[in-house]
Each structure stands twice: as structure tokens, then as C-alpha cells.
Amino acid sequence: MKERLLTYLVCPFCAGKLSLTVENAQNEEIIEGELRCVECNRRFVITRGIPRFADLDSVESDKKATAEGFGWQWKHFTQEDARYGEQFLGWIDPVTPDFFRGKVVLEGGCGKGRHTQLAATWGAHDVVGIDLSEAVETAFSATRDLPNVHIVQADIFQLPFARVFDYAFSVGVLHHLPDPKRGFESLASKVKPGGHLSAWVYGAENNEWITSFVNPVREKLTSKIDQRALLQLSKIPASCLYLATKLLYGPLNRSKQGSAIANHLFYNDYLKSIAPFGWREQHTIVFDHLVAPTAFYLARDEFEVWWKDIQAQAVVITWHNKNSWRGFGQIPPE
Ligand SMILES: [Zn+2]
């Protein structure tokens, strides 16, 4: 933890100020220490460089299973992919890299920190990435040399921050929470008046085949089996996906005539978008869909209500790859 993070932090229980005790530091990084709330006296440890406001033993079993599944995955799949930047921009459109310049940014559910890292390299003043899972360890080691990145282990429903952010975003996380809308509202509550918010969630529309066929398998079987076994088992559907994108969707979509045919194929927009990815990335996508105990698929009108209820302004909701919703809006200025 870098000391400048302290200016954004408050007690997640009472919003009181936190006092810092450093036990061990390496250069700018506080490796071991303690944060104590001056109001309610609760203590939060800093271990292995990360302030800990939540741990998996203190959250409900459902959230815990989700975090464990993804945490294990993010530690296992640490491959970097040059397309991450482009993919990230696809999820937060109409936001562009320039938008980050000089802003104080919060990522709700940072996983292994790849978006946090991108936001930092695009010139954010500070980026704070939070996650509940042990993926924070990977995120921390990937970002500790970036002076404007801060990784915090925290629960999105109980964020340890004052209302200090110019921009907050969450991609691919809210739909895995037991109450996605409440997670969204919690994130929005940390954005300054006049600041901005982005969220990307699975769409209900066009995903009926997932909700009808994949979800029952995920809920009853794959989210419950051992992750190492699931990793092997998920190679079967991943191989089908890989062959389909490499032999059919990818080649067809590269020509004008082919695209005309591909447009009639099942799930073309999405499969076209992942066709350039390599085996490991595609395997990750399949594993991701099978590991989570909770996954909500949201209809556009439900997603619209989220933005209305936080009184967001100039909201832009767009359909991404014909299988998901992305939203961007402004928190009302005071
Ligand atoms: Zn407190």
C-alpha cells in the first residue's frame, strides 16, 4: 500500500478516518501495517502490501464461492494478451484512453488487475482496484511498480472509500454478485457529484440458450466441482469453441462475402469478436462461464432502471456484441 491511498480511505463501517501504523515498508510500499478507525476503533491489517477490509471468511457463502472460483482462475490464468486494451475499451465504450487522464478512478472487482493497469498507463492520477478474492495478490504483484495504482481487498457492498472518485467502472463483475443492482449503487455512491460511471453486464436478450442450457449445468454441476477438474473438463467445450472460431467464424468474417453468410450464423457478433484470441484466452472464457455459482443475465429495461435509480444523467446504454449491455453516465452534479 502506498501512503497516498490514505487520502481516499475511510472506515467501511462508520466512514470514520483511518490512522496508519507502518510495521514494514519497502521504498514507497507499505508491506505490513495496520489501519485503525479513529471513530469506531476497528482495525484493518495490511499484509503482503495489501490493505484488507474484507476476507473470505467474513462474507456469505455464495459470494465466497464466487470469489474463490474467480480468484483461483485469475491466479492460474495470468497470460497477458495484447488485445486486452481493445477489449476493455469495447466494454467501457464511449470512454476512450484520453478520458482517464488526471482522474481518480475506482475499479469495482479488479481480478488480477489488468484493467486497473491499463487505466494507470492511460494517465489516471490514481487508480484503485478492489477485489474480494485472492486475485488481489496477483493484481498487487502486477502493479506494485506503478506509482498511481492501489490494490485493496474489499467487498463491493462495503467499500472503504469516501466519495472521492472522478470515475468508477465495473466490467463483468456485477452480474456475478448476489445482488447486482446493490453492487452498482454501492460503486456509484463513491463517485463525486458530476463524476462518471461505467458498467458492463451480461444481457438477457440473445442469451436464452445460456440461461436455458448452460445455466442449469453451471448451477448444478460445474460451479460445484473441484476447479482443477473443471479446468480439464472445460477443455471439451473450449475445443469446440476454438475450432468453430478458427475454422468457421474467423475465416468467414474476414471477407465481405463471408460476412454476409456469417451474419446468419449462431451468435456471430460475439464469436467473431473472440475469434482472434488464442487457445488459453478462449479456454479462460469457457471456464469463466462454468465456474461462477451466481450469474445474472439482465434485460435492457432492468439495466435502465439501475441508472434511473441513481439519477444518472446523459446515460448511454448500448448493446455490445449482441450479448451484453454496457452503460455510461454521469452522477448528478451538486
Ligand atoms: Zn469505523
Side-chain angles (χ1 to χ4, degrees):
M1 176 188 141
K2 288 143 191 130
E3 201 171 338
R4 66 197 249 195
L5 175 66
L6 204 57
T7 55
Y8 309 123
L9 290 175
V10 296
C11 172
F13 294 92
C14 76
K17 280 203 165 124
L18 299 175
S19 71
L20 169 70
T21 313
V22 179
E23 282 154 27
N24 170 20
Q26 292 169 5
N27 306 321
E28 299 296 293
E29 204 72 59
I30 299 154
I31 304 297
E32 309 287 328
E34 190 185 71
L35 293 156
R36 189 180 58 80
C37 174
V38 300
E39 302 290 334
C40 73
N41 217 26
R42 281 190 176 86
R43 288 154 195 275
F44 310 96
V45 291
I46 304 165
T47 53
R48 296 186 297 284
I50 304 166
R52 318 278 175 167
F53 291 92
D55 59 70
L56 289 179
D57 297 326
S58 64
V59 296
E60 305 92 280
S61 62
D62 188 30
K63 265 154 74 182
K64 183 175 170 176
T66 301
E68 278 174 350
F70 282 121
W72 182 84
Q73 173 193 351
W74 284 322
K75 274 176 94 172
H76 178 82
F77 291 104
T78 51
Q79 81 273 24
E80 296 301 326
D81 195 305
R83 292 179 194 88
Y84 283 160
E86 204 184 312
Q87 196 185 33
F88 177 39
L89 290 171
W91 286 325
I92 58 170
D93 183 85
V95 170
T96 57
D98 285 350
F99 182 81
F100 287 88
R101 195 151 303 149
K103 289 194 165 67
V104 178
V105 178
L106 172 64
E107 176 171 20
C110 67
K112 66 188 185 189
R114 71 188 195 195
H115 302 139
T116 302
Q117 222 171 330
L118 284 164
T121 52
W122 289 338
H125 176 71
D126 273 311
V127 195
V128 182
I130 69 110
D131 208 280
L132 184 58
S133 78
E134 59 176 9
V136 289
E137 314 294 333
T138 310
F140 176 73
S141 20
T143 57
R144 63 179 294 176
D145 296 331
L146 295 169
N148 54 345
V149 173
H150 312 274
I151 302 296
V152 174
Q153 191 168 25
D155 185 347
I156 199 166
F157 294 114
Q158 201 161 38
L159 292 166
F161 306 109
R163 205 177 167 191
V164 291
F165 295 97
D166 300 305
Y167 176 52
F169 66 89
S170 183
V171 292
V173 172
L174 298 170
H175 50 229
H176 290 304
L177 299 174
D179 186 345
K181 183 167 184 270
R182 196 158 69 80
F184 175 79
E185 288 166 348
S186 174
L187 199 64
S189 73
K190 303 304 173 190
V191 178
K192 281 181 196 168
H196 291 84
L197 181 66
S198 284
W200 173 76
V201 294
Y202 293 158
E205 301 85 346
N206 226 9
N207 279 328
E208 294 80 2
W209 69 279
I210 295 183
T211 40
S212 314
F213 300 109
V214 182
N215 279 4
V217 176
R218 179 177 56 71
E219 282 160 14
K220 294 198 178 65
L221 177 72
T222 57
S223 67
K224 297 198 169 118
I225 64 177
D226 174 74
Q227 284 148 357
R228 274 166 195 81
L230 179 60
L231 185 73
Q232 298 307 320
L233 194 66
S234 61
K235 284 180 180 167
I236 300 166
S239 308
C240 301
L241 175 71
Y242 188 73
L243 290 173
T245 58
K246 295 296 177 192
L247 299 177
L248 187 64
Y249 288 83
L252 273 181
N253 280 296
R254 279 196 287 273
S255 75
K256 206 177 163 194
Q257 282 173 320
S259 301
I261 301 167
N263 277 334
H264 299 286
L265 293 179
F266 174 71
Y267 227 48
N268 180 53
D269 290 77
Y270 179 68
L271 295 178
K272 177 173 74 180
S273 77
I274 62 163
F277 288 129
W279 162 253
R280 282 182 68 87
E281 186 62 30
Q282 291 202 13
H283 185 201
T284 309
I285 292 169
V286 172
F287 183 82
D288 194 288
H289 277 87
L290 296 173
V291 73
T294 308
F296 289 92
Y297 291 79
L298 292 133
R300 182 184 174 117
D301 47 2
E302 274 176 276
F303 193 47
E304 273 172 4
V305 170
W306 289 15
W307 294 90
K308 273 196 196 105
D309 287 357
I310 61 162
Q311 280 144 14
Q313 300 178 350
V315 176
V316 187
I317 293 176
T318 48
W319 189 217
H320 184 47
N321 287 336
K322 297 191 183 169
N323 70 352
S324 55
W325 295 111
R326 57 188 168 198
F328 174 73
Q330 186 180 26
I331 303 297
E334 254 168 5

